[in-house]
């Protein structure tokens, strides 16, 4: 697969930043080249982490999640979401389906691409 020099630089920068911050969780997330179609499903364990996707996920988080998880995602009524140790697929499943009696479902509000953005944002939290 042929990566553009910009994409290679972005991937290298993200890896360097995550490692310099002690971001073992982010480094463990498979950061791979984005397919030409640009499609990524939230159920995928390999979600492309880009600054744009993180920003979009942050916006969605602020709209739907911060009320329970706090503006900075450190927890309030809901748990702290920094340094999550569960898989991307599990995070996406939880967002999509909720947790009975604890968290609502967001399946009707967000599609897989939007949920992938939220997962990317959560992976960026340290």
């Amino acid at each position: 697969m042929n990566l553009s020099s910009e994409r290679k630089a972005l991937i290298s920068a993200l890896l360097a930043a995550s490692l310099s911050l002690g971001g073992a969780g982010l480094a463990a997330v498979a950061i791979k080249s984005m397919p030409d179609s640009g499609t990524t499903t939230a159920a995928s364990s390999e979600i492309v982490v880009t600054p744009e996707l993180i920003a979009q996920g942050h916006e969605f988080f602020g709209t739907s999640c911060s009320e329970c998880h706090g503006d900075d995602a450190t927890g309030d009524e809901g748990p702290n979401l920094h340094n999550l140790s569960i898989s991307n697929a599990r995070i996406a499943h939880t967002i999509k389906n909720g947790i009975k009696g604890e968290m609502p479902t967001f399946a009707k509000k967000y599609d897989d691409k939007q949920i992938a953005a939220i997962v990317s944002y959560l992976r960026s939290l340290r």
Side-chain angles (χ1 to χ4, degrees):
M1 186 173 293
N2 189 11
L3 295 176
S4 71
S5 59
E6 290 177 10
R7 192 164 284 163
K8 286 180 185 177
L10 176 61
I11 291 169
S12 295
L14 286 170
L15 284 171
S18 68
L19 292 173
S20 69
L21 295 171
L26 182 57
V29 175
I31 300 176
K32 65 175 191 173
S33 63
M34 185 179 292
D36 290 341
S37 65
T39 58
T40 302
T41 61
S44 172
S45 61
E46 297 182 21
I47 293 177
V48 178
V49 178
T50 66
E52 295 81 14
L53 199 59
I54 291 169
Q56 185 181 34
H58 181 249
E59 184 178 324
F60 295 142
F61 181 89
T63 301
S64 300
C65 311
S66 64
E67 185 176 328
C68 292
H69 295 284
D71 291 336
D72 59 359
T74 56
D76 191 12
E77 185 178 326
N80 183 335
L81 299 175
H82 288 245
N83 300 308
L84 293 173
S85 61
I86 59 176
S87 71
N88 291 344
R90 185 70 182 154
I91 296 168
H93 176 82
T94 302
I95 294 167
K96 192 173 209 172
N97 299 301
I99 301 172
K100 188 176 182 177
E102 295 181 34
M103 180 178 144
T105 175
F106 290 96
K108 292 183 180 179
K109 185 167 186 173
Y110 297 115
D111 62 25
D112 283 348
K113 188 174 178 181
Q114 293 167 320
I115 291 173
I118 297 169
V119 172
S120 293
Y121 168 68
L122 294 176
R123 287 296 185 207
S124 75
L125 299 176
R126 296 284 138 228

